[in-house]
Amino acid sequence: MGYPDQRFDVNLSILFTELPLLERPAAAAAAGFTAVELWWPWIETPTPPQAELDALKKALDDAGTQLVGLNFYAGQLPGPDRGALSVPGEESDRFRANIEVAADFAASVGCTALNALYGNRVEGADPQAQDALALENLVLAARAADRVGAILLVETLNKPESPLYPLVSAPAAIEVVDKVNAATGLGNAKFLLDPYHLSMNGEDLSQVIKAYAAKTGHVQIADNPGRGAPGTGDLPLERLLDELKDAGYAGWVGLEYKPGERPSADSFDWLPPSARAAG
């Protein structure tokens, strides 16, 4: 049990950001990891030139790293945005334009999890209309994910850092997951469980795991307070991951923490080198 018993991947949108995007897969590999994940790397466009997609695929392949998670276009992230799919007008259109691009890229690199960030509440917009738009777009995304053999992830964030984001509890995200699955009949919408966000919301983490492990498609971790590496805060992450495993979760655990002032490569001392390569 414990950390060596998990399948870890490195989120290259929060770790190794001191390097250009195309150098990050090799840096993760040099640190001993064989699996990585990414937020949508092109924050300015949902439809980057094919040459840029090809270059990222080559960087992943050359490094021998497997992409195991990818966000759909989510607006300015990092930045003020928390997704685009429930934002009426241009942002929703951009999300739709991205759906097949992201799904096709995922298929090209064998990535089987696509994360769709819900988006913030918009001043002056009817929350019910935003939720109806969200469901419409999530159904499209779930069908595209299914076409390439992937799951669709719906994530809970935390209210202190994302006050306009409506999914700030595990039950709120699960409700959306269930609605998408009911609408598509595909069953490929899953919960993205992140103990950092859930703990910031004051949720009982063991209870969440017990209730929703069966609906969980991906896990991301950071410690709290500070969103640093495991061991820098108070969360019993090793125990929580064991609880997830005991509850039947056998998927990836994404390292989505801030390395602090040190280089990213120096932030993995909590994890034995022998436990970094995913079998």
Side-chain angles (χ1 to χ4, degrees):
M1 303 299 278
Y3 290 139
D5 208 24
Q6 307 294 333
R7 287 198 302 162
F8 290 106
D9 72 85
V10 177
N11 188 312
L12 298 181
S13 297
I14 196 168
L15 286 154
F16 295 110
T17 57
E18 63 269 30
L19 298 171
L21 173 65
L22 297 183
E23 293 177 23
R24 294 177 205 170
F33 294 93
T34 54
V36 297
E37 62 181 72
L38 279 165
W39 302 341
W40 184 248
W42 298 275
I43 63 173
E44 301 298 338
T45 178
T47 53
Q50 187 61 45
E52 292 188 28
L53 293 159
D54 292 344
L56 178 55
K57 180 184 186 310
K58 184 177 188 303
L60 292 164
D61 290 346
D62 288 352
T65 49
Q66 174 65 48
L67 188 69
V68 299
L70 176 68
N71 282 17
F72 286 105
Y73 169 80
Q76 299 291 309
L77 184 76
D81 298 335
R82 297 291 186 273
L85 62 91
S86 68
V87 179
E90 189 181 333
E91 279 299 89
S92 169
D93 292 345
R94 286 160 77 88
F95 177 81
R96 288 192 187 193
N98 175 248
I99 290 174
E100 299 301 334
V101 176
D104 286 345
F105 181 76
S108 77
V109 294
C111 174
T112 56
L114 288 158
N115 184 24
L117 279 170
Y118 200 81
N120 287 329
R121 290 297 192 219
V122 178
E123 194 177 341
D126 177 2
Q128 285 183 305
Q130 280 199 257
D131 290 339
L133 176 64
L135 183 58
E136 212 174 287
N137 282 336
L138 284 166
V139 164
L140 294 174
R143 288 183 178 140
D146 181 68
R147 174 177 67 79
V148 299
I151 58 172
L152 174 76
L153 297 169
V154 177
E155 183 173 9
T156 290
L157 299 183
N158 74 77
K159 197 167 183 64
E161 293 175 323
S162 304
L164 299 177
Y165 191 81
L167 307 184
V168 288
S169 73
I174 292 291
E175 185 182 350
V176 172
V177 165
D178 289 345
K179 283 181 178 175
V180 174
N181 285 333
T184 65
L186 296 170
N188 70 329
K190 302 280 186 181
F191 178 44
L192 195 165
L193 191 158
D194 186 326
Y196 168 74
H197 289 304
L198 298 174
S199 67
M200 288 282 282
N201 292 326
E203 295 189 69
D204 182 328
L205 300 178
S206 294
Q207 204 50 50
V208 169
I209 288 167
K210 200 176 292 183
Y212 303 127
K215 294 184 177 184
T216 297
H218 191 66
V219 172
Q220 293 171 333
I221 61 168
D223 217 328
N224 188 21
R227 202 176 184 176
T232 60
D234 305 326
L235 287 184
L237 289 168
E238 199 160 10
R239 175 173 65 75
L240 292 169
L241 292 178
D242 282 345
E243 288 177 16
L244 267 161
K245 206 168 185 72
D246 290 344
Y249 179 74
W252 294 97
V253 177
L255 307 182
E256 197 186 58
Y257 63 77
K258 297 174 181 175
E261 298 303 311
R262 55 189 170 166
S264 296
D266 296 340
S267 75
F268 303 112
D269 48 7
W270 58 276
L271 184 64
S274 59
R276 297 177 190 178

